[in-house]
């Protein structure tokens, strides 16, 4: 079967496109064991986390089948799986939580230690094992996931749109609703309006924020930022960039969605009393950020956020219903669809900022 495989090598100085990433047709995947589901992938979004594996920002063992934002149709279920059946449409979560530990029982599956840093090898190629990225690997015609990762969705939601629930939507909207807990009347600044930033914008709109300031160096993104919920658009969050003119006292919530340490500092500096800076962008694993300690007095906070602090089986269903009600935008996120054979073109467009979200199709 077809799949996108990264072998771990990189061409010095040439970025992701110079790396050994291949669309292969000789990939194999084992069948589902107890508590697992075999899913035929129909669509998978290309997220910057996939590119971060290629460029080394996210260290990961190789060879690995990439992709982690997918949707498809259940082909087979293992023993003990009852909540989905063959033929069901599902969106895939990356959280392979155990369901039995203290964190899971507290309703924090994203903190389950069995769901983090324990890559499996359900794939093989030429008789040699191949790793699975983010317990998911949606850039393959078929993948095996834990049952808890397969979330049933209504069949009237296009799978090209439903795929985005599994990362971009749950991360961005979830960060607003679950982690920051944005309330009605709050003010929000969103730095970076890519796939995650757009979902933060619409999460803030859904939560009832009144002033939602989008910041992006690319002025061409203003129209889509406003479509998703921005009330204001600026090209910079630096001093003199205009945020303080809109929010003289500062923001209740500032979301950094790019992954640059200087922008993290800007997010912190823009906060009002009791404000929160929420970090969603992914800088290099060894990156360090600085801030004035005194700037955090008056109850300010810096919050990390993993996967929108989500409970996927609950949250995916909520986002699907909001979509059906017309309150959450999905179709508008899908700028371009690419057959999987055009993976290199999808990467080029993503790195060039020409798409909000490119979606691979099988």
């Amino acid at each position: 079967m077809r799949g996108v495989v990264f072998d771990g090598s990189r061409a010095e100085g040439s970025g992701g496109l110079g790396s050994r990433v291949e669309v292969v047709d000789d990939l194999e995947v084992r069948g589902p064991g107890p508590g697992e589901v075999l899913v035929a992938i129909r669509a998978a979004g290309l997220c910057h986390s996939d590119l971060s594996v290629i460029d080394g920002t996210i260290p990961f063992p190789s060879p690995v089948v990439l992709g982690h934002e997918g949707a498809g149709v259940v082909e087979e279920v293992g023993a003990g799986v009852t909540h989905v059946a063959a033929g069901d449409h599902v969106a895939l979560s990356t959280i392979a939580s155990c369901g039995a530990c203290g964190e899971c029982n507290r309703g924090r599956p994203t903190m389950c230690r069995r769901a983090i840093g324990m890559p499996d090898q359900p794939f093989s190629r030429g008789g040699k094992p191949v790793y699975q990225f983010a317990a998911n690997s949606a850039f393959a015609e078929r993948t095996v996931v834990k049952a808890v990762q397969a979330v049933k969705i209504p069949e009237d939601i296009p799978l090209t749109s439903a795929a985005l629930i599994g990362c971009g939507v749950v991360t961005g909207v979830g960060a607003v609703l679950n982690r920051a807990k944005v309330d009605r009347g709050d003010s929000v600044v969103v730095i970076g309006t890519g796939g995650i930033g757009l979902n933060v914008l619409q999460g803030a709109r859904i939560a009832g924020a009144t002033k939602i300031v989008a910041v992006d160096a690319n002025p061409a993104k203003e129209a889509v930022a406003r479509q998703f919920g921005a009330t204001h658009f600026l090209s910079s969050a630096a001093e003199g960039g205009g945020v303080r003119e809109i929010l003289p006292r500062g923001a209740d919530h500032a979301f950094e969605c790019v992954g640059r340490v200087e922008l993290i500092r800007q997010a912190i500096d823009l906060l009002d009393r009791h404000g929160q800076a929420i970090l969603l962008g992914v800088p290099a694993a060894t990156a360090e950020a600085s801030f004035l300690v005194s700037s955090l007095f008056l109850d300010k906070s810096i919050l990390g956020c993993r996967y929108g602090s989500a409970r996927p089986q609950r949250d995916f269903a909520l986002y699907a219903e909001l979509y059906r009600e017309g309150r959450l935008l999905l179709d508008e996120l899908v700028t371009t669809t690419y057959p999987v054979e055009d993976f290199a073109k999808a990467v080029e467009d993503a790195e060039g900022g020409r798409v909000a979200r490119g979606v691979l199709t099988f």
Side-chain angles (χ1 to χ4, degrees):
M1 68 177 185
R2 292 172 297 168
V4 179
V5 178
F6 171 53
D7 74 358
S9 62
R10 298 177 181 86
E12 199 67 33
S14 58
L17 292 178
S19 304
R20 286 295 305 278
V21 183
E22 295 182 87
V23 180
V24 304
D25 60 9
D26 58 350
L27 195 64
E28 296 181 354
V29 66
R30 61 172 174 79
E36 294 181 334
V37 177
L38 176 67
V39 178
I41 299 295
R42 295 289 184 264
L46 177 59
C47 174
H48 272 83
S49 292
D50 300 303
L51 304 182
S52 293
V53 174
I54 297 171
D55 67 21
T57 301
I58 297 178
F60 205 87
S62 60
V64 56
V65 179
L66 297 174
H68 64 286
E69 186 181 70
V73 180
V74 174
E75 282 201 349
E76 185 181 351
V77 301
V81 178
T82 59
H83 75 290
V84 293
D88 286 345
H89 286 205
V90 292
L92 299 185
S93 161
T94 67
I95 303 301
S97 51
C98 72
C101 69
E103 297 294 351
C104 286
N105 280 311
R106 292 185 184 97
R108 299 196 294 243
T110 58
M111 294 296 103
C112 174
R113 284 169 170 79
R114 296 187 185 181
I116 301 174
M118 301 175 67
D120 195 8
Q121 293 177 305
F123 299 99
S124 61
R125 188 181 179 208
K128 297 180 179 180
V130 178
Y131 284 101
Q132 185 176 41
F133 178 54
N136 190 309
S137 288
F139 293 169
E141 288 188 86
R142 293 174 182 81
T143 191
V144 171
V145 297
K146 284 188 176 181
V148 71
Q149 296 176 252
V151 184
K152 187 175 179 179
I153 57 172
E155 294 188 10
D156 59 353
I157 300 180
L159 290 173
T160 49
S161 298
L164 306 186
I165 294 176
C167 180
V169 172
V170 72
T171 298
V173 178
V176 173
L177 302 182
N178 300 328
R179 187 66 168 127
K181 300 186 186 304
V182 173
D183 202 357
R184 291 165 295 178
D186 282 356
S187 59
V188 173
V189 173
V190 181
I191 301 175
T193 60
I196 299 299
L198 290 176
N199 280 295
V200 173
L201 289 171
Q202 69 172 335
R205 169 177 51 77
I206 291 168
T210 50
K211 289 189 177 179
I212 306 172
V213 182
V215 181
D216 199 291
N218 184 354
K221 293 185 177 182
E222 179 173 1
V224 69
R226 290 185 179 276
Q227 179 184 19
F228 274 74
T231 59
H232 301 76
F233 184 91
L234 299 170
S235 59
S236 173
E239 195 68 32
V243 174
R244 288 289 181 179
E245 295 179 10
I246 301 166
L247 302 171
R249 295 182 177 179
D252 295 313
H253 314 274
F255 294 81
E256 200 283 337
C257 305
V258 180
R260 289 169 49 189
V261 294
E262 65 272 23
L263 298 180
I264 291 173
R265 172 62 182 267
Q266 289 178 17
I268 296 168
D269 290 346
L270 287 171
L271 296 177
D272 191 4
R273 299 181 178 193
H274 66 72
Q276 302 178 131
I278 302 91
L279 311 186
L280 300 180
V282 182
T286 58
E288 297 182 0
S290 65
F291 58 90
L292 294 175
V293 175
S294 60
S295 71
L296 291 189
F297 296 154
L298 299 175
D299 290 354
K300 298 180 184 181
S301 305
I302 302 172
L303 304 180
C305 184
R306 173 175 167 80
Y307 204 61
S309 301
R311 289 173 286 174
Q313 289 288 340
R314 172 190 178 277
D315 290 355
F316 282 27
L318 169 63
Y319 302 149
E321 188 57 35
L322 288 173
Y323 166 80
R324 297 173 88 191
E325 292 176 0
R327 297 172 61 193
L328 183 129
L329 306 181
L330 288 179
D331 304 338
E332 294 82 357
L333 282 167
V334 184
T335 311
T336 309
T337 58
Y338 306 83
V340 68
E341 291 80 8
D342 288 345
F343 176 74
K345 172 62 174 171
V347 171
E348 182 180 347
D349 288 348
E351 290 187 328
R354 290 184 286 276
V355 294
R357 208 55 147 203
V359 175
L360 303 179
T361 58
F362 290 88

